[in-house]
Amino acid sequence: MIHEGVCETCENRTSGFHEYSETYTAETCTEDAYFTYTCDDCGYSYTRTSTAKLGHSGGEATCKELAVCERCGEGY
């Protein structure tokens, strides 16, 4: 993927554009989805949030037990 600008680390510039590799990490119950952009020349990377976390879902809590999420299996 090509992004305009200059890498904050290596300050490489190619015809006014700078090349970054893009990786997508999907959202989970407790973490937002995000893109990671990595400079193809020096390896500098940064992330940008894409979509909000899903949140836990399902299960039923009792006075002694937490509800168990149907997606991830964690108690909440």
Side-chain angles (χ1 to χ4, degrees), residues 3-50:
H3 297 277
E4 283 188 49
V6 178
C7 176
E8 293 177 20
T9 301
C10 70
E11 298 182 1
N12 184 35
R13 185 187 296 267
T14 306
S15 302
F17 292 92
H18 194 74
E19 294 187 30
Y20 284 86
S21 298
E22 177 183 278
T23 305
Y24 177 75
T25 302
E27 68 274 8
T28 66
C29 291
T30 59
E31 300 290 327
D32 295 339
Y34 59 92
F35 288 94
T36 301
Y37 301 96
T38 305
C39 175
D40 291 341
D41 292 319
C42 74
Y44 167 79
S45 66
Y46 67 94
T47 60
R48 181 171 293 146
T49 299
S50 172

